[in-house]
């Protein structure tokens, strides 16, 4: 092994290239963390096309988390009330295989579920699909991408004929106007934001429009900040389109030649006159005009969005309406233009390519399509009809399946649903009801481990070799460069071992992850996400590659290539499809009893439920505790000052937070970061408040908004609070 290993940051979907080096290098002092423990050196990879050497605090500090609180051996218990006992892999996997076999014969294949994660590598995802969908005959595989990107997936499929973000990060540096909606890019995708903001500073005519009810770090440098009321995004998007139509700022040639469905959309737009839209959105009329004018008059418009759009009961409608604006103005398939979803997790894109949601199959295929099923069955050497035509259970349906007994085996890998799912008390009760839960993770303790019968130690980033795809379709090899703690194994190895124990030796005979990837890459041939030219060797020697990259192409596409440059889409007739959606608003708006809307989000340093970042000193110091942002006016009305404690209650549960009083949030709205579970703070779970109502098309829950009431309370630890808490048992993790 050379001293420097090139790899990819394992946190967010930006997918920054990293270079890692051993703690001890000749002639240099050993690299150590704050506690004096030797740790790997990490820096940005200047040669990586996506990040060009940049890296944020999460990527820069990743090495500190690698040896802390690792799960090192398999653990087993018969009931959740017992302590775990250490067992051999043999015993643990025999138990898993026998529980799956029993559930399969007594309750049918659909009683078995796996819930995975955008943290998994493509080889892990692919192995899981083969096991569940091909061998066991159930499509019950879903990933935490369901909570993150499934509205974007549904929107791309319905409007453009296929999943796959059409844009590239290079577009950030050629656009005339960036329209960022429902994404705090500066904190959650910081390197993407850096790339755009340098361009914005260099070119004075370039516009930045930010749509967000909070004046986030992203909104601060905006030329126009539209602080719309929560749930009025569709109203705004249709209002902008209304003005473009009225002013004739459209590309009629593109609409006529490359799209269909425009007249139904144009009809809907009549209902969105600017005065109505501005009033409902709570923004000045002049700002609405300005946004529409900038969009309509810019040659190159790039829209960027994330959870604020996707996590909504109107998620797919919003995505499709954003795409409508690009179709209407012909700003798609050209440099600096297009609809660009910002993926949350490092390999949620790879997961989608590998078929890692309940309704899809490898190579952007659909379970409901008989030709797609037949192609995958042939490749997997399973009998025709093995793959079910029915979409499997989505993440929330797995929880309700535990409630009603239809789920008998739940296998969770690399994610922490006991913190991240909506309506968390109900989720935790459902997990407690599980007849048998396998939990495969790199760390212990985690909140979800409390609900497991079997714990399987997983090798994580740097301890296994696999591939990840970032938001701009760039595929990067992440090689194994360090030892595996204890008996940890790669996720795909664990799943393949269970597959063999269940009798599928031929399907799981791979010797290494390069063979897994080769099988997967071959299955993408001829598909929109064709990466049949790729292999571990090719990525190791040639570096990251952006798909499509078909095997028969004479040269690989150069980096920065958009999709749909010929304006021919992946629909049967090649035309993109306009969607005509009316604005509906929130599933649970504020009312007299619950007069505030709560929104949740992420902070710059932390990642999801803190399984890694909670174990990194620098990040814990950066974000020491959870909090709630309240507008000045609301705080005054409630008699709340900075640092006071607020009890926040919704129809489902409650939590307590220290108040941060600010003018950077819309009155009537409060904000809580989603990172703190029961392991990291008492009574501060944002998802104790959220609800599971979901977009009917993407089945993505509306985690971004629910109605709450606020009450000023004594700080925890005060005499009054101590008396109160003595009457209720404190939440104890274990
Ligand atoms: Fe990692 Fe995302 Fe930060 Fe890049 S922006 S270093 S991918 S967390």
């Amino acid at each position: 092994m050379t001293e420097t290993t090139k790899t990819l940051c394992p946190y967010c979907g930006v997918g920054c290239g990293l270079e890692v080096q051993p703690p001890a290098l000749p002639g240099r002092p050993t690299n150590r963390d704050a506690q004096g423990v030797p740790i790997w050196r990490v820096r940005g990879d200047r040669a990586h096309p996506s990040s060009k050497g940049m890296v944020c605090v999460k990527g820069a500090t990743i090495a500190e988390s690698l040896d802390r609180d690792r799960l090192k051996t398999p653990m087993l218990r018969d009931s959740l009330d017992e302590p775990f006992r250490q067992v051999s892999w043999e015993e643990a996997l025999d138990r898993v295989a026998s529980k799956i076999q029993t559930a399969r014969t007594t309750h049918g294949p659909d009683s078995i579920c796996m819930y995975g994660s955008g943290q998994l590598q493509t080889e892990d995802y692919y192995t899981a699909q083969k096991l569940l969908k091909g061998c066991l005959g159930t499509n019950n595989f879903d990933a935490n991408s369901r909570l993150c990107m499934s509205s974007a997936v549904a929107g791309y499929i319905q409007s453009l004929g296929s999943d796959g973000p059409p844009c590239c990060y290079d577009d950030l540096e050629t656009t005339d106007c960036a329209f960022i909606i429902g994404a705090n890019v500066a904190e959650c995708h910081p390197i993407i934001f850096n790339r755009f903001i340098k361009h914005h500073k260099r070119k004075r005519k370039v516009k930045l429009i930010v749509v967000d009810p909070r004046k986030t770090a992203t909104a601060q440098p905006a030329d126009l900040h539209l602080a719309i009321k929560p749930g009025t995004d569709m109203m705004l998007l249709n209002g902008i389109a209304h003005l473009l139509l009225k002013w004739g700022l459209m590309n009629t040639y593109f609409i006529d030649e490359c799209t269909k469905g425009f007249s139904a959309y144009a009809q809907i737009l009549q209902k969105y006159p600017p005065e109505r839209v501005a009033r409902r959105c709570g923004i000045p009329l002049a700002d609405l005009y300005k946004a529409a004018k900038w969009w309509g008059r810019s040659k190159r418009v790039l829209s960027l969005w994330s959870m604020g759009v996707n996590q909504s009961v109107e998620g797919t409608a919003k995505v499709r309406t954003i795409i409508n604006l690009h179709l209407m103005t012909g700003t798609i398939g050209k440099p600096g233009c297009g609809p660009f979803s910002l993926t949350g997790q490092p390999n949620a894109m790879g997961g989608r390519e590998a078929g890692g949601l309940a309704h899809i199959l490898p190579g952007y295929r659909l379970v409901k399509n008989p030709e797609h099923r037949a192609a995958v069955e042939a490749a997997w050497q399973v009998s025709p009809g093995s793959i079910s035509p029915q979409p499997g259970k989505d993440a929330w349906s797995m929880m309700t399946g535990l409630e009603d007994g239809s789920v008998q085996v739940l296998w969770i890998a690399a994610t922490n649903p006991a913190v991240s799912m909506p309506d968390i008390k109900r989720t935790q009760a459902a997990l407690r009801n599980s007849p048998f839960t396998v939990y495969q993770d790199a760390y212990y303790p985690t909140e979800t481990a409390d609900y497991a019968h079997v714990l399987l130690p997983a090798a994580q980033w740097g301890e296994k070799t696999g591939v990840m795809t970032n938001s701009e379709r760039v595929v990067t090899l992440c090689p194994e460069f360090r030892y595996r703690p204890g008996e940890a194994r790669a996720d795909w190895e664990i799943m393949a071992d269970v597959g063999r124990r269940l009798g599928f030796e031929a399907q799981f005979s791979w010797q290494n992850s390069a063979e897994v990837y080769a099988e997967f890459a071959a299955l993408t041939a001829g598909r929109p996400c064709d990466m049949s030219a790729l292999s571990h060797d090719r990525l190791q020697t040639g570096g990251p590659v952006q798909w499509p990259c078909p095997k028969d192409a004479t040269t690989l596409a150069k980096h920065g290539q958009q999709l749909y440059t010929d304006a021919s889409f992946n629909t049967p007739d090649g035309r993109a499809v306009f969607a005509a959606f009316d604005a509906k608003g929130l599933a649970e708006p504020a009312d007299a009893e619950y007069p505030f809307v709560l929104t949740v989000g992420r902070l710059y340093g932390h990642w999801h439920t803190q399984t890694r970042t909670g174990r990194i000193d620098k990040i814990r110091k950066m974000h020491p505790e959870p909090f709630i942002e309240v507008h000045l006016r609301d705080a005054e009305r409630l008699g709340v000052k900075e640092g006071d404690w607020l009890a926040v209650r919704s129809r489902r549960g409650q939590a307590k937070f220290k108040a941060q009083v600010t003018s950077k949030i819309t009155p009537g709205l409060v904000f809580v970061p989603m990172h703190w579970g029961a392991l990291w703070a008492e009574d501060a779970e944002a998802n104790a408040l959220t609800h599971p109502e979901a977009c009917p098309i993407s089945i993505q829950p509306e985690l971004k908004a629910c109605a709450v009431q606020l009450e000023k309370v004594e700080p925890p630890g005060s005499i009054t609070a101590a008396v109160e808490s003595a009457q209720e048992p404190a939440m104890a993790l274990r």
Side-chain angles (χ1 to χ4, degrees), residues 359-379:
H359 62 297
I360 57 177
L361 291 169
Y364 281 176
R365 293 178 175 88
L366 299 173
V367 299
K368 67 178 185 198
N369 183 317
E371 285 167 21
H372 290 182
R373 292 197 305 277
V376 177
E377 284 163 354

Side-chain angles (χ1 to χ4, degrees), residues 284-562:
L285 189 59
D287 284 356
L288 174 62
Y289 279 115
K290 199 185 275 184
K293 195 174 78 184
W294 286 355
W295 187 304
R297 294 202 178 145
S298 299
K299 258 171 86 179
R300 292 168 291 208
V301 185
L302 184 67
S303 58
L304 300 146
W305 77 90
S306 189
M307 300 312 130
V309 165
N310 294 337
Q311 290 180 334
S312 161
V313 288
E314 297 179 288
T316 308
K318 288 185 202 173
V319 171
R320 295 202 64 191
T321 307
I322 292 169
I323 295 173
N324 281 353
L325 284 163
H326 288 282
L327 298 179
M328 199 174 172
T329 50
T331 51
I332 187 167
K334 292 186 271 192
C337 296
F340 199 178
S341 54
L342 299 177
T343 316
Q345 300 205 67
N347 196 37
M349 284 280 294
R352 284 145 67 178
E353 293 152 10
L357 285 169
H359 62 297
I360 57 177
L361 291 169
Y364 281 176
R365 293 178 175 88
L366 299 173
V367 299
K368 67 178 185 198
N369 183 317
E371 285 167 21
H372 290 182
R373 292 197 305 277
V376 177
E377 284 163 354
W380 284 348
Q381 296 174 34
V382 293
S383 3
S386 295
I387 300 175
S388 164
Q390 299 304 325
K393 288 184 190 294
D394 61 89
W396 183 251
S397 303
M398 291 181 187
M399 298 305 125
T400 56
L402 292 174
E403 290 176 337
D404 66 22
S406 59
V407 173
Q408 290 292 304
V409 173
L410 176 64
W411 188 343
I412 302 167
T415 187
N416 196 7
V419 183
S420 54
M421 291 290 283
D423 196 353
I424 206 65
K425 295 300 166 197
R426 184 172 165 192
T427 295
Q428 289 165 354
L431 289 169
R432 181 151 274 280
N433 206 36
S434 173
F436 187 69
T437 296
V438 184
Y439 184 51
Q440 182 170 312
D441 204 281
Y443 291 92
Y444 181 86
T446 70
E447 290 85 347
T448 299
D450 259 15
Y451 301 92
H453 298 87
V454 179
L455 297 178
L456 301 177
Q460 62 152 321
W461 176 82
E463 297 158 6
K464 59 180 181 178
T465 296
V467 157
M468 298 209 269
T469 308
N470 73 6
S471 273
E472 62 160 351
R473 296 174 275 108
V474 168
V475 183
T476 303
L477 184 73
C478 306
E480 183 172 341
F481 59 82
R482 70 190 295 272
Y483 67 94
R484 295 177 176 185
E487 299 173 23
R489 290 186 185 178
D491 293 272
W492 75 266
E493 290 170 344
I494 301 170
M495 295 163 189
D497 196 334
V498 172
R500 287 190 295 271
R501 280 163 207 265
L502 288 166
F504 300 100
E505 286 86 2
Q507 281 73 19
F508 300 102
S509 59
W510 307 302
Q511 297 302 305
N512 53 51
S513 60
E515 291 182 8
V516 185
Y517 190 72
E519 184 179 308
F520 159 70
L523 247 181
T524 66
R527 300 296 305 156
C529 58
D530 193 332
M531 54 193 90
S532 52
L534 297 187
S535 64
H536 281 201
D537 277 352
R538 167 69 184 77
L539 292 165
Q540 178 72 52
T541 52
V545 176
Q546 190 171 40
W547 64 254
C549 41
K551 196 164 199 156
D552 50 10
T554 43
T555 52
L556 291 180
K558 70 177 176 31
H559 179 78
Q561 192 65 29
Q562 282 224 350

Side-chain angles (χ1 to χ4, degrees), residues 244-275:
L244 296 179
L245 183 64
K246 187 172 159 190
W247 295 336
L249 290 175
M250 297 175 299
N251 185 332
T252 45
Y253 178 80
F254 188 89
I255 294 170
D256 291 346
E257 297 299 316
C258 311
T259 72
K260 59 187 177 192
F262 182 68
S263 53
Y265 179 49
Q267 217 157 2
I268 284 260
L269 296 182
Q270 300 311 318
K271 294 192 267 175
Y272 296 87
E275 296 74 15

Side-chain angles (χ1 to χ4, degrees), residues 1 12 47 176 316 343 417 517 595 654:
M1 169 167 307
C12 86
D176 300 321
T316 308
T343 316
Y517 190 72
Q654 73 153 17

